[in-house]
Amino acid sequence: MKVLLVDDEPFELLNLQVLLEKSSSDYGITSAHHGGEALKILESEPMDLIFLDIRMPVLDGIAVLEQVKTSWPDTEIVMVSAYDEFSYAKQALELGASAYLLKPFSTSEFYDTLQKVERKYHEKTKAKPLLQQSLLEKTIRSGDAIDEHVWGQQFGFVPNAVAAVHAASPGWRSLFLEEIKSSQIMIAPEPIDGAELVLSTNQHMQPVCEALLRCKLLLPDQSFWFGLGESLHLRTAWEEATRQLQDAKDSITSRCLRFIQEHYQEALTLADVAKAVHVSPTHLNRLLKKVTGCTFIEVLTAIRIERAKELLKKPVSIEYIAMVTGFKSAAYFSSTFKKVTGLSPRSFRRG
Protein backbone atom coordinates (compact mmCIF):
# COMPACT_ATOMS: atom_id res chain seq x y z
CA MET A 1 0.00 0.00 0.00
CA LYS A 2 1.07 3.56 -0.72
CA VAL A 3 0.73 5.55 2.51
CA LEU A 4 0.87 9.32 2.99
CA LEU A 5 1.57 10.76 6.45
CA VAL A 6 0.46 14.36 6.97
CA ASP A 7 1.40 16.26 10.13
CA ASP A 8 3.08 19.59 10.87
CA GLU A 9 5.02 18.04 13.78
CA PRO A 10 8.21 16.22 12.61
CA PHE A 11 8.20 13.98 15.70
CA GLU A 12 4.63 12.82 14.98
CA LEU A 13 5.56 12.01 11.38
CA LEU A 14 8.54 10.00 12.58
CA ASN A 15 6.44 8.14 15.13
CA LEU A 16 3.86 7.14 12.48
CA GLN A 17 6.59 6.05 10.08
CA VAL A 18 8.33 3.89 12.69
CA LEU A 19 5.04 2.19 13.64
CA LEU A 20 4.25 1.44 9.98
CA GLU A 21 7.73 0.10 9.25
CA LYS A 22 7.57 -2.17 12.30
CA SER A 23 4.28 -3.52 11.03
CA SER A 24 5.52 -4.31 7.51
CA SER A 25 8.26 -3.44 5.05
CA ASP A 26 5.74 -3.46 2.18
CA TYR A 27 4.45 0.10 2.70
CA GLY A 28 5.52 2.87 0.36
CA ILE A 29 5.64 5.78 2.79
CA THR A 30 5.59 9.48 1.86
CA SER A 31 5.40 12.43 4.28
CA ALA A 32 3.91 15.93 4.04
CA HIS A 33 4.18 18.76 6.57
CA HIS A 34 0.87 20.47 5.81
CA GLY A 35 -2.32 20.02 3.82
CA GLY A 36 -1.20 22.00 0.77
CA GLU A 37 1.90 19.85 0.39
CA ALA A 38 -0.22 16.72 0.78
CA LEU A 39 -2.53 17.71 -2.09
CA LYS A 40 0.42 18.43 -4.38
CA ILE A 41 1.82 14.97 -3.65
CA LEU A 42 -1.57 13.36 -4.36
CA GLU A 43 -1.86 15.11 -7.72
CA SER A 44 1.33 13.42 -8.91
CA GLU A 45 0.86 10.11 -7.07
CA PRO A 46 -2.51 9.00 -5.63
CA MET A 47 -2.29 7.14 -2.32
CA ASP A 48 -4.12 4.13 -0.86
CA LEU A 49 -4.07 5.31 2.75
CA ILE A 50 -3.54 8.68 4.47
CA PHE A 51 -2.91 9.39 8.14
CA LEU A 52 -4.08 12.99 8.37
CA ASP A 53 -3.62 15.39 11.26
CA ILE A 54 -6.55 17.77 11.82
CA ARG A 55 -4.87 20.88 13.19
CA MET A 56 -2.28 22.15 10.69
CA PRO A 57 -1.24 25.50 9.20
CA VAL A 58 -1.94 26.45 5.55
CA LEU A 59 -4.74 23.90 5.12
CA ASP A 60 -6.27 21.93 7.98
CA GLY A 61 -7.12 18.24 7.96
CA ILE A 62 -10.87 18.66 7.46
CA ALA A 63 -10.34 20.77 4.33
CA VAL A 64 -7.84 18.23 2.97
CA LEU A 65 -10.25 15.38 3.75
CA GLU A 66 -13.01 17.06 1.73
CA GLN A 67 -10.75 17.57 -1.29
CA VAL A 68 -9.32 14.05 -1.14
CA LYS A 69 -12.75 12.44 -0.98
CA THR A 70 -13.84 14.53 -3.99
CA SER A 71 -10.81 13.80 -6.18
CA TRP A 72 -9.64 10.43 -4.84
CA PRO A 73 -12.74 8.87 -3.27
CA ASP A 74 -11.22 5.40 -2.81
CA THR A 75 -8.41 6.62 -0.58
CA GLU A 76 -8.72 5.41 3.01
CA ILE A 77 -8.17 8.21 5.52
CA VAL A 78 -7.38 7.96 9.23
CA MET A 79 -7.82 11.31 10.99
CA VAL A 80 -5.34 11.98 13.77
CA SER A 81 -5.93 14.66 16.42
CA ALA A 82 -4.76 15.68 19.86
CA TYR A 83 -8.08 17.39 20.47
CA ASP A 84 -10.72 15.30 22.13
CA GLU A 85 -13.62 17.08 20.51
CA PHE A 86 -16.55 15.01 19.30
CA SER A 87 -17.45 17.57 16.63
CA TYR A 88 -14.15 16.93 14.80
CA ALA A 89 -14.60 13.17 14.85
CA LYS A 90 -18.24 13.42 13.78
CA GLN A 91 -17.45 15.82 10.95
CA ALA A 92 -14.52 13.71 9.73
CA LEU A 93 -16.55 10.48 9.68
CA GLU A 94 -19.44 12.19 7.89
CA LEU A 95 -17.02 13.40 5.21
CA GLY A 96 -15.78 9.86 4.60
CA ALA A 97 -12.88 9.25 7.00
CA SER A 98 -12.36 5.56 7.72
CA ALA A 99 -11.21 5.97 11.33
CA TYR A 100 -10.20 8.49 13.98
CA LEU A 101 -7.13 8.27 16.22
CA LEU A 102 -6.83 10.48 19.30
CA LYS A 103 -3.29 11.49 20.37
CA PRO A 104 -1.59 10.17 22.34
CA PHE A 105 -2.65 6.73 21.12
CA SER A 106 -1.17 3.41 22.19
CA THR A 107 0.69 1.05 19.86
CA SER A 108 -2.17 -1.45 20.07
CA GLU A 109 -4.73 1.26 19.17
CA PHE A 110 -2.66 2.20 16.13
CA TYR A 111 -2.32 -1.37 14.88
CA ASP A 112 -6.00 -2.16 15.52
CA THR A 113 -6.95 0.88 13.44
CA LEU A 114 -4.43 0.01 10.72
CA GLN A 115 -5.75 -3.55 10.49
CA LYS A 116 -9.34 -2.37 10.27
CA VAL A 117 -8.56 0.15 7.52
CA GLU A 118 -6.44 -2.33 5.54
CA ARG A 119 -9.24 -4.90 5.66
CA LYS A 120 -11.70 -2.32 4.37
CA TYR A 121 -9.29 -1.28 1.62
CA HIS A 122 -8.71 -4.85 0.40
CA GLU A 123 -12.44 -5.69 0.43
CA LYS A 124 -13.17 -2.56 -1.59
CA THR A 125 -10.30 -3.28 -3.99
CA LYS A 126 -11.69 -6.75 -4.73
CA ALA A 127 -15.22 -5.50 -5.36
CA LYS A 128 -14.31 -2.36 -7.30
CA PRO A 129 -13.71 -3.86 -10.79
CA LEU A 130 -17.10 -5.60 -10.67
CA LEU A 131 -18.85 -2.38 -9.66
CA GLN A 132 -17.02 -0.36 -12.32
CA GLN A 133 -17.85 -2.87 -15.07
CA SER A 134 -21.49 -3.04 -14.01
CA LEU A 135 -21.79 0.76 -14.10
CA LEU A 136 -20.15 0.99 -17.53
CA GLU A 137 -22.27 -1.73 -19.09
CA LYS A 138 -25.45 -0.26 -17.64
CA THR A 139 -24.62 3.17 -19.07
CA ILE A 140 -23.54 1.94 -22.49
CA ARG A 141 -26.38 -0.55 -22.94
CA SER A 142 -29.24 1.58 -21.64
CA GLY A 143 -27.94 5.12 -22.12
CA ASP A 144 -29.20 6.00 -18.62
CA ALA A 145 -27.62 9.07 -17.06
CA ILE A 146 -25.53 8.29 -13.98
CA ASP A 147 -25.16 10.77 -11.14
CA GLU A 148 -21.77 12.51 -11.12
CA HIS A 149 -21.28 11.53 -7.49
CA VAL A 150 -21.55 7.84 -8.43
CA TRP A 151 -18.96 8.27 -11.20
CA GLY A 152 -16.72 10.07 -8.74
CA GLN A 153 -17.02 7.26 -6.21
CA GLN A 154 -16.24 4.49 -8.69
CA PHE A 155 -13.76 6.15 -11.06
CA GLY A 156 -12.59 9.34 -9.37
CA PHE A 157 -13.80 11.40 -12.36
CA VAL A 158 -16.74 11.71 -14.75
CA PRO A 159 -15.77 10.11 -18.10
CA ASN A 160 -17.01 11.88 -21.22
CA ALA A 161 -14.46 10.51 -23.69
CA VAL A 162 -13.79 6.93 -24.74
CA ALA A 163 -11.23 5.08 -26.81
CA ALA A 164 -12.38 1.68 -28.12
CA VAL A 165 -9.34 -0.55 -28.60
CA HIS A 166 -8.84 -3.88 -30.35
CA ALA A 167 -5.46 -5.49 -29.69
CA ALA A 168 -4.19 -8.97 -30.50
CA SER A 169 -2.19 -9.04 -27.28
CA PRO A 170 -3.05 -7.80 -23.76
CA GLY A 171 0.48 -6.40 -23.55
CA TRP A 172 -0.77 -3.08 -24.95
CA ARG A 173 -2.25 -2.26 -21.53
CA SER A 174 1.08 -2.04 -19.74
CA LEU A 175 2.60 -0.10 -22.64
CA PHE A 176 -0.27 2.37 -22.63
CA LEU A 177 -0.10 2.90 -18.86
CA GLU A 178 3.65 3.50 -19.11
CA GLU A 179 3.05 6.11 -21.80
CA ILE A 180 0.37 8.03 -19.93
CA LYS A 181 -0.15 8.61 -16.22
CA SER A 182 -3.21 10.46 -14.97
CA SER A 183 -5.82 9.93 -12.27
CA GLN A 184 -8.46 10.81 -14.91
CA ILE A 185 -7.57 8.07 -17.40
CA MET A 186 -8.24 4.38 -16.88
CA ILE A 187 -8.75 1.12 -18.77
CA ALA A 188 -12.07 -0.60 -18.05
CA PRO A 189 -11.80 -3.95 -16.22
CA GLU A 190 -13.35 -6.00 -19.05
CA PRO A 191 -14.02 -5.56 -22.79
CA ILE A 192 -17.51 -4.67 -24.02
CA ASP A 193 -18.66 -6.14 -27.36
CA GLY A 194 -15.12 -7.30 -28.08
CA ALA A 195 -13.48 -3.89 -27.59
CA GLU A 196 -11.49 -2.62 -24.64
CA LEU A 197 -12.34 0.80 -23.22
CA VAL A 198 -10.01 3.61 -22.26
CA LEU A 199 -12.05 6.09 -20.25
CA SER A 200 -11.00 9.71 -19.88
CA THR A 201 -12.24 13.28 -20.14
CA ASN A 202 -12.26 15.44 -23.28
CA GLN A 203 -9.30 17.40 -21.89
CA HIS A 204 -7.27 14.18 -22.05
CA MET A 205 -8.30 13.04 -25.55
CA GLN A 206 -5.13 14.29 -27.23
CA PRO A 207 -2.67 12.58 -24.85
CA VAL A 208 -4.78 9.39 -24.98
CA CYS A 209 -4.64 9.42 -28.78
CA GLU A 210 -0.88 10.06 -28.78
CA ALA A 211 -0.28 7.25 -26.26
CA LEU A 212 -2.34 4.80 -28.34
CA LEU A 213 -0.44 5.77 -31.50
CA ARG A 214 2.85 5.13 -29.69
CA CYS A 215 1.51 1.72 -28.60
CA LYS A 216 0.76 0.93 -32.24
CA LEU A 217 4.32 1.84 -33.20
CA LEU A 218 5.78 -0.21 -30.34
CA LEU A 219 3.71 -3.25 -31.33
CA PRO A 220 4.53 -3.54 -35.05
CA ASP A 221 3.76 -7.27 -35.20
CA GLN A 222 0.46 -6.96 -33.38
CA SER A 223 -2.94 -6.15 -34.80
CA PHE A 224 -3.85 -2.93 -33.04
CA TRP A 225 -6.69 -0.54 -33.88
CA PHE A 226 -8.60 2.07 -31.95
CA GLY A 227 -11.40 4.58 -32.33
CA LEU A 228 -12.16 7.72 -30.33
CA GLY A 229 -15.41 9.33 -29.21
CA GLU A 230 -16.44 12.11 -26.87
CA SER A 231 -19.81 13.32 -25.63
CA LEU A 232 -21.57 14.41 -22.45
CA HIS A 233 -23.36 11.05 -22.76
CA LEU A 234 -20.99 8.10 -22.39
CA ARG A 235 -23.13 5.87 -24.61
CA THR A 236 -22.86 8.36 -27.50
CA ALA A 237 -19.08 8.58 -27.01
CA TRP A 238 -18.85 4.78 -27.01
CA GLU A 239 -20.92 4.46 -30.20
CA GLU A 240 -18.68 6.96 -32.02
CA ALA A 241 -15.52 5.21 -30.78
CA THR A 242 -16.74 1.78 -31.91
CA ARG A 243 -17.75 3.19 -35.32
CA GLN A 244 -14.24 4.53 -35.80
CA LEU A 245 -12.78 1.23 -34.60
CA GLN A 246 -14.91 -0.74 -37.06
CA ASP A 247 -13.89 1.61 -39.89
CA ALA A 248 -10.24 0.93 -39.03
CA LYS A 249 -10.86 -2.83 -39.07
CA ASP A 250 -12.87 -2.69 -42.27
CA SER A 251 -10.11 -0.80 -44.01
CA ILE A 252 -7.78 -3.72 -43.28
CA THR A 253 -10.37 -6.15 -44.62
CA SER A 254 -10.93 -4.05 -47.73
CA ARG A 255 -7.19 -3.88 -48.45
CA CYS A 256 -6.95 -7.61 -47.92
CA LEU A 257 -9.78 -8.41 -50.35
CA ARG A 258 -8.39 -5.98 -52.91
CA PHE A 259 -4.96 -7.62 -52.68
CA ILE A 260 -6.45 -11.10 -53.16
CA GLN A 261 -8.46 -9.91 -56.17
CA GLU A 262 -5.29 -8.48 -57.72
CA HIS A 263 -3.12 -11.56 -57.05
CA TYR A 264 -5.51 -14.54 -57.06
CA GLN A 265 -3.72 -15.99 -60.13
CA GLU A 266 -0.53 -16.46 -58.11
CA ALA A 267 0.32 -19.20 -55.61
CA LEU A 268 -1.04 -16.93 -52.90
CA THR A 269 -0.72 -17.76 -49.19
CA LEU A 270 -2.24 -16.27 -46.05
CA ALA A 271 1.24 -15.12 -45.01
CA ASP A 272 1.65 -13.21 -48.32
CA VAL A 273 -1.57 -11.28 -47.81
CA ALA A 274 -0.93 -10.64 -44.10
CA LYS A 275 2.47 -9.17 -44.95
CA ALA A 276 0.90 -6.92 -47.58
CA VAL A 277 -1.66 -5.46 -45.14
CA HIS A 278 0.73 -5.40 -42.12
CA VAL A 279 -1.05 -7.75 -39.73
CA SER A 280 -0.29 -11.22 -38.40
CA PRO A 281 -1.57 -14.21 -40.46
CA THR A 282 -3.55 -15.61 -37.53
CA HIS A 283 -5.25 -12.32 -36.85
CA LEU A 284 -6.01 -11.70 -40.53
CA ASN A 285 -7.70 -15.08 -40.85
CA ARG A 286 -9.74 -14.34 -37.72
CA LEU A 287 -10.70 -10.89 -39.01
CA LEU A 288 -11.76 -12.22 -42.41
CA LYS A 289 -13.91 -14.84 -40.72
CA LYS A 290 -15.55 -12.20 -38.53
CA VAL A 291 -16.21 -9.68 -41.32
CA THR A 292 -16.95 -11.99 -44.30
CA GLY A 293 -17.92 -15.22 -42.57
CA CYS A 294 -15.17 -17.05 -44.51
CA THR A 295 -11.58 -18.09 -43.90
CA PHE A 296 -8.75 -16.88 -46.14
CA ILE A 297 -8.82 -20.11 -48.20
CA GLU A 298 -12.58 -19.82 -48.63
CA VAL A 299 -12.30 -16.17 -49.75
CA LEU A 300 -9.46 -16.96 -52.19
CA THR A 301 -11.34 -19.96 -53.59
CA ALA A 302 -14.55 -17.93 -54.03
CA ILE A 303 -12.72 -15.20 -55.96
CA ARG A 304 -11.02 -17.78 -58.19
CA ILE A 305 -14.28 -19.63 -58.87
CA GLU A 306 -16.09 -16.39 -59.80
CA ARG A 307 -13.34 -15.58 -62.30
CA ALA A 308 -13.50 -19.14 -63.63
CA LYS A 309 -17.25 -18.79 -64.22
CA GLU A 310 -16.59 -15.76 -66.44
CA LEU A 311 -13.93 -17.63 -68.41
CA LEU A 312 -16.13 -20.71 -68.86
CA LYS A 313 -18.42 -18.55 -71.01
CA LYS A 314 -15.55 -18.14 -73.45
CA PRO A 315 -14.08 -20.68 -75.89
CA VAL A 316 -10.97 -21.49 -73.83
CA SER A 317 -9.85 -24.84 -72.41
CA ILE A 318 -10.43 -26.08 -68.85
CA GLU A 319 -6.64 -26.45 -68.50
CA TYR A 320 -6.12 -22.80 -69.44
CA ILE A 321 -8.83 -21.62 -66.99
CA ALA A 322 -7.28 -23.66 -64.18
CA MET A 323 -3.86 -22.15 -64.90
CA VAL A 324 -4.95 -18.49 -65.06
CA THR A 325 -7.17 -18.70 -61.96
CA GLY A 326 -4.37 -20.03 -59.77
CA PHE A 327 -5.30 -23.71 -59.41
CA LYS A 328 -2.51 -26.29 -59.32
CA SER A 329 -4.03 -28.52 -61.96
CA ALA A 330 -7.11 -28.96 -64.13
CA ALA A 331 -8.19 -31.92 -61.98
CA TYR A 332 -7.96 -29.92 -58.76
CA PHE A 333 -9.80 -27.01 -60.40
CA SER A 334 -12.60 -29.31 -61.56
CA SER A 335 -13.07 -30.95 -58.14
CA THR A 336 -13.03 -27.59 -56.32
CA PHE A 337 -15.44 -26.02 -58.83
CA LYS A 338 -17.91 -28.88 -58.39
CA LYS A 339 -17.59 -28.73 -54.60
CA VAL A 340 -18.40 -25.00 -54.58
CA THR A 341 -21.07 -24.82 -57.32
CA GLY A 342 -22.48 -28.34 -57.39
CA LEU A 343 -21.62 -28.63 -61.09
CA SER A 344 -18.53 -29.70 -63.00
CA PRO A 345 -16.91 -26.98 -65.16
CA ARG A 346 -18.17 -28.71 -68.32
CA SER A 347 -21.75 -28.95 -66.97
CA PHE A 348 -21.61 -25.27 -65.95
CA ARG A 349 -20.38 -24.36 -69.45
CA ARG A 350 -23.22 -26.24 -71.10
CA GLY A 351 -25.60 -24.24 -68.88
Side-chain angles (χ1 to χ4, degrees), residues 27-28 63 134 158 196 206 216 221 277 323:
Y27 296 112
S134 175
V158 181
E196 304 216 48
Q206 187 61 32
K216 192 171 181 66
D221 297 326
V277 296
M323 180 183 70

Side-chain angles (χ1 to χ4, degrees), residues 79-336:
M79 303 303 294
V80 184
S81 176
Y83 299 89
D84 188 10
E85 296 181 15
F86 178 71
S87 61
Y88 278 123
K90 183 173 181 293
Q91 188 179 3
L93 295 172
E94 285 175 351
L95 290 170
S98 305
Y100 193 99
L101 274 174
L102 182 64
K103 300 177 189 176
F105 48 80
S106 67
T107 302
S108 62
E109 283 178 316
F110 176 84
Y111 287 130
D112 284 347
T113 301
L114 178 62
Q115 189 177 45
K116 169 190 165 186
V117 173
E118 279 193 325
R119 187 165 55 246
K120 183 179 176 183
Y121 168 79
H122 290 303
E123 286 172 357
K124 208 157 62 174
T125 301
K126 277 185 188 176
K128 192 172 186 67
L130 294 173
L131 294 170
Q132 288 176 332
Q133 192 69 22
S134 175
L135 181 62
L136 284 173
E137 295 204 11
K138 179 183 177 184
T139 308
I140 286 170
R141 303 284 186 215
S142 68
D144 291 347
I146 305 295
D147 186 83
E148 288 189 7
H149 178 68
V150 176
W151 284 115
Q153 278 188 322
Q154 295 303 324
F155 294 93
F157 64 98
V158 181
N160 56 21
V162 175
V165 177
H166 181 99
S169 166
W172 77 274
R173 285 172 163 249
S174 56
L175 281 174
F176 175 79
L177 294 172
E178 283 173 16
E179 290 288 334
I180 191 164
K181 292 179 174 64
S182 170
S183 60
Q184 293 195 336
I185 296 172
M186 68 164 289
I187 302 173
E190 298 291 336
I192 295 179
D193 296 337
E196 304 216 48
L197 285 74
V198 177
L199 301 160
S200 65
T201 62
N202 50 23
Q203 295 96 326
H204 289 84
M205 281 289 276
Q206 187 61 32
V208 165
C209 182
E210 290 171 359
L212 289 171
L213 285 170
R214 286 195 292 272
C215 286
K216 192 171 181 66
L217 291 172
L218 291 168
L219 295 167
D221 297 326
Q222 302 291 346
S223 299
F224 188 94
W225 302 293
F226 64 91
L228 303 171
E230 57 180 299
S231 171
L232 292 175
H233 303 289
L234 194 64
R235 181 180 181 177
T236 305
W238 165 248
E239 288 172 347
E240 174 59 25
T242 51
R243 267 196 300 272
Q244 286 190 21
L245 175 62
Q246 193 58 50
D247 288 345
K249 282 186 177 184
D250 288 345
S251 67
I252 296 290
T253 310
S254 299
R255 294 209 315 269
C256 168
L257 293 174
R258 188 164 58 250
F259 186 85
I260 295 173
Q261 287 166 339
E262 291 169 357
H263 298 271
Y264 70 90
Q265 297 166 304
E266 303 167 16
L268 203 58
T269 66
L270 176 61
D272 294 331
V273 183
K275 185 177 180 181
V277 296
H278 310 295
V279 296
S280 69
T282 303
H283 191 78
L284 178 59
N285 207 35
R286 191 183 305 122
L287 181 61
L288 279 171
K289 183 71 176 175
K290 182 174 182 181
V291 175
T292 69
C294 301
T295 64
F296 163 73
I297 291 297
E298 290 167 339
V299 169
L300 176 59
T301 300
I303 290 171
R304 285 172 169 172
I305 294 296
E306 287 306 308
R307 178 60 178 147
K309 285 179 182 178
E310 293 173 14
L311 292 172
L312 282 166
K313 296 172 186 175
K314 299 178 180 181
V316 292
S317 69
I318 300 296
E319 289 75 12
Y320 173 80
I321 293 172
M323 180 183 70
V324 299
T325 52
F327 289 97
K328 299 177 203 174
S329 66
Y332 180 62
F333 163 61
S334 295
S335 65
T336 304

